[in-house]
Tab-separated table of all heavy atoms in Angstrom:
chain	number	residue	atom	x	y	z
A	1	PRO	N	-107.547	-25.219	-96.205
A	1	PRO	CA	-108.252	-23.933	-96.114
A	1	PRO	C	-109.779	-24.052	-96.102
A	1	PRO	O	-110.457	-23.241	-95.486
A	1	PRO	CB	-107.790	-23.177	-97.357
A	1	PRO	CG	-106.510	-23.813	-97.758
A	1	PRO	CD	-106.609	-25.264	-97.332
A	2	ASP	N	-110.324	-25.078	-96.748
A	2	ASP	CA	-111.779	-25.209	-96.815
A	2	ASP	C	-112.361	-26.003	-95.638
A	2	ASP	O	-113.565	-26.184	-95.560
A	2	ASP	CB	-112.195	-25.845	-98.148
A	2	ASP	CG	-111.526	-27.186	-98.411
A	2	ASP	OD1	-110.372	-27.358	-97.993
A	2	ASP	OD2	-112.161	-28.052	-99.031
A	3	TRP	N	-111.540	-26.470	-94.698
A	3	TRP	CA	-112.010	-27.179	-93.511
A	3	TRP	C	-112.238	-26.194	-92.383
A	3	TRP	O	-111.548	-25.190	-92.278
A	3	TRP	CB	-111.003	-28.217	-93.061
A	3	TRP	CG	-110.888	-29.416	-93.944
A	3	TRP	CD1	-111.306	-29.523	-95.237
A	3	TRP	CD2	-110.289	-30.659	-93.601
A	3	TRP	NE1	-111.003	-30.766	-95.728
A	3	TRP	CE2	-110.378	-31.491	-94.740
A	3	TRP	CE3	-109.688	-31.157	-92.466
A	3	TRP	CZ2	-109.890	-32.778	-94.753
A	3	TRP	CZ3	-109.197	-32.445	-92.490
A	3	TRP	CH2	-109.308	-33.244	-93.619
A	4	ASN	N	-113.181	-26.489	-91.505
A	4	ASN	CA	-113.435	-25.642	-90.351
A	4	ASN	C	-112.293	-25.769	-89.347
A	4	ASN	O	-111.550	-24.846	-89.121
A	4	ASN	CB	-114.786	-26.010	-89.720
A	4	ASN	CG	-115.250	-25.037	-88.697
A	4	ASN	OD1	-114.673	-23.977	-88.544
A	4	ASN	ND2	-116.278	-25.385	-87.970
A	5	TYR	N	-112.139	-26.926	-88.734
A	5	TYR	CA	-111.025	-27.225	-87.832
A	5	TYR	C	-111.045	-28.713	-87.532
A	5	TYR	O	-112.007	-29.403	-87.835
A	5	TYR	CB	-111.111	-26.434	-86.525
A	5	TYR	CG	-112.313	-26.782	-85.682
A	5	TYR	CD1	-112.260	-27.818	-84.756
A	5	TYR	CD2	-113.511	-26.094	-85.823
A	5	TYR	CE1	-113.369	-28.159	-83.997
A	5	TYR	CE2	-114.617	-26.434	-85.072
A	5	TYR	CZ	-114.543	-27.455	-84.165
A	5	TYR	OH	-115.637	-27.791	-83.420
A	6	VAL	N	-109.982	-29.214	-86.943
A	6	VAL	CA	-109.927	-30.601	-86.486
A	6	VAL	C	-109.328	-30.608	-85.084
A	6	VAL	O	-108.593	-29.703	-84.697
A	6	VAL	CB	-109.102	-31.509	-87.425
A	6	VAL	CG1	-109.752	-31.625	-88.792
A	6	VAL	CG2	-107.671	-31.014	-87.557
A	7	PHE	N	-109.665	-31.618	-84.301
A	7	PHE	CA	-109.097	-31.761	-82.961
A	7	PHE	C	-107.716	-32.392	-83.001
A	7	PHE	O	-106.943	-32.257	-82.065
A	7	PHE	CB	-110.015	-32.594	-82.063
A	7	PHE	CG	-111.215	-31.828	-81.598
A	7	PHE	CD1	-112.445	-32.041	-82.182
A	7	PHE	CD2	-111.106	-30.909	-80.570
A	7	PHE	CE1	-113.566	-31.337	-81.749
A	7	PHE	CE2	-112.214	-30.200	-80.135
A	7	PHE	CZ	-113.445	-30.422	-80.732
A	8	GLY	N	-107.400	-33.099	-84.085
A	8	GLY	CA	-106.091	-33.731	-84.179
A	8	GLY	C	-105.845	-34.307	-85.558
A	8	GLY	O	-106.762	-34.464	-86.357
A	9	LEU	N	-104.583	-34.578	-85.809
A	9	LEU	CA	-104.155	-35.181	-87.068
A	9	LEU	C	-103.142	-36.266	-86.750
A	9	LEU	O	-102.384	-36.144	-85.782
A	9	LEU	CB	-103.479	-34.141	-87.966
A	9	LEU	CG	-104.316	-32.977	-88.435
A	9	LEU	CD1	-103.426	-31.885	-89.012
A	9	LEU	CD2	-105.293	-33.456	-89.487
A	10	ALA	N	-103.110	-37.306	-87.565
A	10	ALA	CA	-102.137	-38.371	-87.349
A	10	ALA	C	-101.784	-39.049	-88.657
A	10	ALA	O	-102.556	-39.032	-89.610
A	10	ALA	CB	-102.691	-39.405	-86.370
A	11	SER	N	-100.613	-39.637	-88.667
A	11	SER	CA	-100.176	-40.461	-89.789
A	11	SER	C	-99.728	-41.796	-89.223
A	11	SER	O	-98.705	-41.879	-88.538
A	11	SER	CB	-99.019	-39.796	-90.534
A	11	SER	OG	-98.450	-40.717	-91.454
A	12	TYR	N	-100.508	-42.820	-89.504
A	12	TYR	CA	-100.146	-44.163	-89.062
A	12	TYR	C	-98.838	-44.592	-89.730
A	12	TYR	O	-97.960	-45.167	-89.103
A	12	TYR	CB	-101.273	-45.140	-89.395
A	12	TYR	CG	-100.980	-46.552	-88.949
A	12	TYR	CD1	-101.073	-46.907	-87.608
A	12	TYR	CD2	-100.610	-47.525	-89.869
A	12	TYR	CE1	-100.803	-48.193	-87.196
A	12	TYR	CE2	-100.341	-48.811	-89.466
A	12	TYR	CZ	-100.429	-49.139	-88.128
A	12	TYR	OH	-100.153	-50.414	-87.720
A	13	GLU	N	-98.714	-44.283	-91.008
A	13	GLU	CA	-97.535	-44.663	-91.783
A	13	GLU	C	-96.253	-44.069	-91.196
A	13	GLU	O	-95.228	-44.734	-91.115
A	13	GLU	CB	-97.707	-44.207	-93.226
A	13	GLU	CG	-96.559	-44.566	-94.144
A	13	GLU	CD	-96.826	-44.109	-95.565
A	13	GLU	OE1	-97.844	-44.532	-96.140
A	13	GLU	OE2	-96.014	-43.324	-96.073
A	14	ASN	N	-96.308	-42.812	-90.767
A	14	ASN	CA	-95.124	-42.139	-90.224
A	14	ASN	C	-95.015	-42.245	-88.707
A	14	ASN	O	-94.015	-41.826	-88.129
A	14	ASN	CB	-95.111	-40.668	-90.639
A	14	ASN	CG	-94.967	-40.515	-92.133
A	14	ASN	OD1	-94.169	-41.191	-92.763
A	14	ASN	ND2	-95.764	-39.642	-92.725
A	15	GLY	N	-96.051	-42.751	-88.063
A	15	GLY	CA	-96.018	-42.923	-86.610
A	15	GLY	C	-95.993	-41.611	-85.840
A	15	GLY	O	-95.353	-41.519	-84.789
A	16	VAL	N	-96.696	-40.587	-86.337
A	16	VAL	CA	-96.737	-39.287	-85.670
A	16	VAL	C	-98.177	-38.797	-85.545
A	16	VAL	O	-99.060	-39.225	-86.290
A	16	VAL	CB	-95.908	-38.217	-86.428
A	16	VAL	CG1	-94.447	-38.598	-86.476
A	16	VAL	CG2	-96.449	-37.997	-87.826
A	17	GLY	N	-98.403	-37.923	-84.608
A	17	GLY	CA	-99.722	-37.337	-84.442
A	17	GLY	C	-99.637	-36.051	-83.645
A	17	GLY	O	-98.655	-35.795	-82.946
A	18	VAL	N	-100.663	-35.243	-83.756
A	18	VAL	CA	-100.760	-34.007	-82.988
A	18	VAL	C	-102.220	-33.796	-82.625
A	18	VAL	O	-103.116	-34.141	-83.394
A	18	VAL	CB	-100.202	-32.796	-83.766
A	18	VAL	CG1	-100.992	-32.515	-85.023
A	18	VAL	CG2	-100.143	-31.556	-82.890
A	19	THR	N	-102.460	-33.282	-81.448
A	19	THR	CA	-103.811	-32.948	-81.021
A	19	THR	C	-103.815	-31.514	-80.513
A	19	THR	O	-102.816	-31.024	-80.007
A	19	THR	CB	-104.327	-33.932	-79.947
A	19	THR	OG1	-105.711	-33.699	-79.736
A	19	THR	CG2	-103.593	-33.799	-78.643
A	20	SER	N	-104.938	-30.851	-80.675
A	20	SER	CA	-105.070	-29.457	-80.282
A	20	SER	C	-105.998	-29.318	-79.082
A	20	SER	O	-107.067	-29.923	-79.044
A	20	SER	CB	-105.639	-28.635	-81.443
A	20	SER	OG	-105.972	-27.322	-81.016
A	21	MET	N	-105.593	-28.499	-78.124
A	21	MET	CA	-106.418	-28.216	-76.954
A	21	MET	C	-107.211	-26.918	-77.127
A	21	MET	O	-107.974	-26.538	-76.263
A	21	MET	CB	-105.535	-28.086	-75.707
A	21	MET	CG	-104.767	-29.348	-75.415
A	21	MET	SD	-105.856	-30.753	-75.419
A	21	MET	CE	-105.683	-31.346	-73.804
A	22	TYR	N	-107.039	-26.248	-78.244
A	22	TYR	CA	-107.625	-24.926	-78.473
A	22	TYR	C	-109.133	-24.902	-78.244
A	22	TYR	O	-109.647	-24.025	-77.558
A	22	TYR	CB	-107.300	-24.482	-79.899
A	22	TYR	CG	-107.754	-23.094	-80.234
A	22	TYR	CD1	-106.962	-22.007	-79.926
A	22	TYR	CD2	-108.963	-22.867	-80.878
A	22	TYR	CE1	-107.363	-20.724	-80.244
A	22	TYR	CE2	-109.376	-21.591	-81.199
A	22	TYR	CZ	-108.574	-20.523	-80.874
A	22	TYR	OH	-108.977	-19.261	-81.186
A	23	ARG	N	-109.849	-25.832	-78.805
A	23	ARG	CA	-111.317	-25.835	-78.712
A	23	ARG	C	-111.831	-26.244	-77.338
A	23	ARG	O	-112.971	-25.954	-77.000
A	23	ARG	CB	-111.910	-26.762	-79.779
A	23	ARG	CG	-111.567	-26.350	-81.192
A	23	ARG	CD	-112.399	-25.197	-81.621
A	23	ARG	NE	-111.904	-24.641	-82.870
A	23	ARG	CZ	-112.591	-23.799	-83.606
A	23	ARG	NH1	-113.797	-23.428	-83.254
A	23	ARG	NH2	-112.064	-23.303	-84.710
A	24	PHE	N	-111.012	-26.915	-76.541
A	24	PHE	CA	-111.438	-27.320	-75.201
A	24	PHE	C	-111.548	-26.133	-74.251
A	24	PHE	O	-112.210	-26.203	-73.231
A	24	PHE	CB	-110.486	-28.366	-74.615
A	24	PHE	CG	-110.557	-29.679	-75.328
A	24	PHE	CD1	-109.503	-30.113	-76.103
A	24	PHE	CD2	-111.691	-30.473	-75.239
A	24	PHE	CE1	-109.566	-31.326	-76.768
A	24	PHE	CE2	-111.768	-31.689	-75.908
A	24	PHE	CZ	-110.696	-32.112	-76.672
A	25	ALA	N	-110.897	-25.019	-74.573
A	25	ALA	CA	-110.953	-23.817	-73.744
A	25	ALA	C	-111.668	-22.683	-74.471
A	25	ALA	O	-111.460	-21.519	-74.176
A	25	ALA	CB	-109.548	-23.383	-73.347
A	26	ASN	N	-112.488	-23.030	-75.456
A	26	ASN	CA	-113.243	-22.038	-76.235
A	26	ASN	C	-112.345	-20.972	-76.852
A	26	ASN	O	-112.746	-19.821	-76.984
A	26	ASN	CB	-114.326	-21.400	-75.376
A	26	ASN	CG	-115.368	-22.390	-74.934
A	26	ASN	OD1	-115.766	-23.257	-75.695
A	26	ASN	ND2	-115.798	-22.279	-73.693
A	27	GLY	N	-111.127	-21.348	-77.185
A	27	GLY	CA	-110.205	-20.413	-77.825
A	27	GLY	C	-109.581	-19.401	-76.898
A	27	GLY	O	-108.955	-18.459	-77.363
A	28	HIS	N	-109.736	-19.569	-75.592
A	28	HIS	CA	-109.186	-18.624	-74.628
A	28	HIS	C	-108.168	-19.318	-73.736
A	28	HIS	O	-108.346	-19.425	-72.530
A	28	HIS	CB	-110.299	-18.015	-73.775
A	28	HIS	CG	-111.259	-17.197	-74.581
A	28	HIS	ND1	-112.309	-17.759	-75.287
A	28	HIS	CD2	-111.310	-15.869	-74.822
A	28	HIS	CE1	-112.971	-16.796	-75.906
A	28	HIS	NE2	-112.388	-15.645	-75.655
A	29	LEU	N	-107.106	-19.792	-74.334
A	29	LEU	CA	-106.094	-20.510	-73.569
A	29	LEU	C	-105.099	-19.559	-72.923
A	29	LEU	O	-104.688	-18.564	-73.508
A	29	LEU	CB	-105.336	-21.485	-74.466
A	29	LEU	CG	-106.102	-22.739	-74.844
A	29	LEU	CD1	-105.324	-23.523	-75.888
A	29	LEU	CD2	-106.355	-23.596	-73.635
A	30	THR	N	-104.742	-19.891	-71.710
A	30	THR	CA	-103.675	-19.209	-70.986
A	30	THR	C	-102.720	-20.297	-70.509
A	30	THR	O	-103.006	-21.486	-70.619
A	30	THR	CB	-104.220	-18.446	-69.768
A	30	THR	OG1	-104.783	-19.393	-68.851
A	30	THR	CG2	-105.275	-17.426	-70.162
A	31	ASP	N	-101.577	-19.913	-69.964
A	31	ASP	CA	-100.664	-20.916	-69.405
A	31	ASP	C	-101.380	-21.758	-68.361
A	31	ASP	O	-101.221	-22.965	-68.295
A	31	ASP	CB	-99.448	-20.247	-68.773
A	31	ASP	CG	-98.528	-19.627	-69.806
A	31	ASP	OD1	-98.615	-20.001	-70.986
A	31	ASP	OD2	-97.722	-18.773	-69.420
A	32	SER	N	-102.218	-21.141	-67.573
A	32	SER	CA	-102.911	-21.829	-66.490
A	32	SER	C	-103.930	-22.844	-67.002
A	32	SER	O	-103.885	-24.014	-66.635
A	32	SER	CB	-103.614	-20.805	-65.600
A	32	SER	OG	-104.460	-21.438	-64.680
A	33	ASN	N	-104.852	-22.427	-67.855
A	33	ASN	CA	-105.886	-23.374	-68.265
A	33	ASN	C	-105.376	-24.370	-69.312
A	33	ASN	O	-105.960	-25.427	-69.479
A	33	ASN	CB	-107.188	-22.688	-68.682
A	33	ASN	CG	-107.091	-21.839	-69.912
A	33	ASN	OD1	-106.101	-21.858	-70.633
A	33	ASN	ND2	-108.124	-21.048	-70.161
A	34	PHE	N	-104.288	-24.076	-70.014
A	34	PHE	CA	-103.692	-25.071	-70.899
A	34	PHE	C	-103.185	-26.243	-70.064
A	34	PHE	O	-103.435	-27.395	-70.388
A	34	PHE	CB	-102.560	-24.488	-71.718
A	34	PHE	CG	-101.899	-25.495	-72.627
A	34	PHE	CD1	-102.538	-25.936	-73.772
A	34	PHE	CD2	-100.648	-26.003	-72.332
A	34	PHE	CE1	-101.933	-26.872	-74.619
A	34	PHE	CE2	-100.042	-26.932	-73.170
A	34	PHE	CZ	-100.693	-27.352	-74.313
A	35	ASN	N	-102.508	-25.944	-68.963
A	35	ASN	CA	-102.024	-27.008	-68.077
A	35	ASN	C	-103.179	-27.781	-67.467
A	35	ASN	O	-103.099	-28.994	-67.293
A	35	ASN	CB	-101.127	-26.428	-66.986
A	35	ASN	CG	-99.814	-25.926	-67.560
A	35	ASN	OD1	-99.355	-26.391	-68.594
A	35	ASN	ND2	-99.213	-24.961	-66.888
A	36	GLU	N	-104.288	-27.116	-67.151
A	36	GLU	CA	-105.468	-27.803	-66.626
A	36	GLU	C	-106.044	-28.752	-67.668
A	36	GLU	O	-106.508	-29.841	-67.325
A	36	GLU	CB	-106.519	-26.795	-66.189
A	36	GLU	CG	-106.163	-26.042	-64.933
A	36	GLU	CD	-107.185	-24.984	-64.587
A	36	GLU	OE1	-108.353	-25.088	-65.046
A	36	GLU	OE2	-106.825	-24.051	-63.855
A	37	CYS	N	-106.038	-28.366	-68.931
A	37	CYS	CA	-106.519	-29.245	-69.994
A	37	CYS	C	-105.693	-30.530	-70.048
A	37	CYS	O	-106.228	-31.606	-70.281
A	37	CYS	CB	-106.418	-28.555	-71.362
A	37	CYS	SG	-107.622	-27.250	-71.631
A	38	LEU	N	-104.406	-30.426	-69.797
A	38	LEU	CA	-103.542	-31.608	-69.836
A	38	LEU	C	-103.859	-32.568	-68.714
A	38	LEU	O	-103.685	-33.783	-68.859
A	38	LEU	CB	-102.063	-31.183	-69.766
A	38	LEU	CG	-101.560	-30.346	-70.940
A	38	LEU	CD1	-100.112	-29.949	-70.693
A	38	LEU	CD2	-101.702	-31.086	-72.246
A	39	LEU	N	-104.368	-32.060	-67.604
A	39	LEU	CA	-104.714	-32.929	-66.480
A	39	LEU	C	-105.905	-33.814	-66.819
A	39	LEU	O	-106.075	-34.885	-66.236
A	39	LEU	CB	-105.023	-32.100	-65.232
A	39	LEU	CG	-103.849	-31.310	-64.654
A	39	LEU	CD1	-104.339	-30.416	-63.523
A	39	LEU	CD2	-102.757	-32.256	-64.165
A	40	ASP	N	-106.740	-33.392	-67.760
A	40	ASP	CA	-107.936	-34.158	-68.130
A	40	ASP	C	-107.640	-35.262	-69.137
A	40	ASP	O	-108.508	-36.049	-69.456
A	40	ASP	CB	-108.998	-33.221	-68.729
A	40	ASP	CG	-109.543	-32.253	-67.691
A	40	ASP	OD1	-109.509	-32.588	-66.498
A	40	ASP	OD2	-110.001	-31.171	-68.084
A	41	LEU	N	-106.417	-35.320	-69.653
A	41	LEU	CA	-106.085	-36.353	-70.647
A	41	LEU	C	-105.975	-37.713	-70.032
A	41	LEU	O	-105.610	-37.976	-68.989
A	41	LEU	CB	-104.778	-36.008	-71.365
A	41	LEU	CG	-104.852	-34.786	-72.258
A	41	LEU	CD1	-103.484	-34.497	-72.855
A	41	LEU	CD2	-105.846	-35.005	-73.379
């Protein structure tokens, strides 16, 4: 709760991770621009 935000989280021990595309579209994601964000990966 006291953190602003993060682009991703991971656990090396558990072998899992997640990344967020929310900030790459200034918080205005649609189906269209979410898919465009994936093309830049």
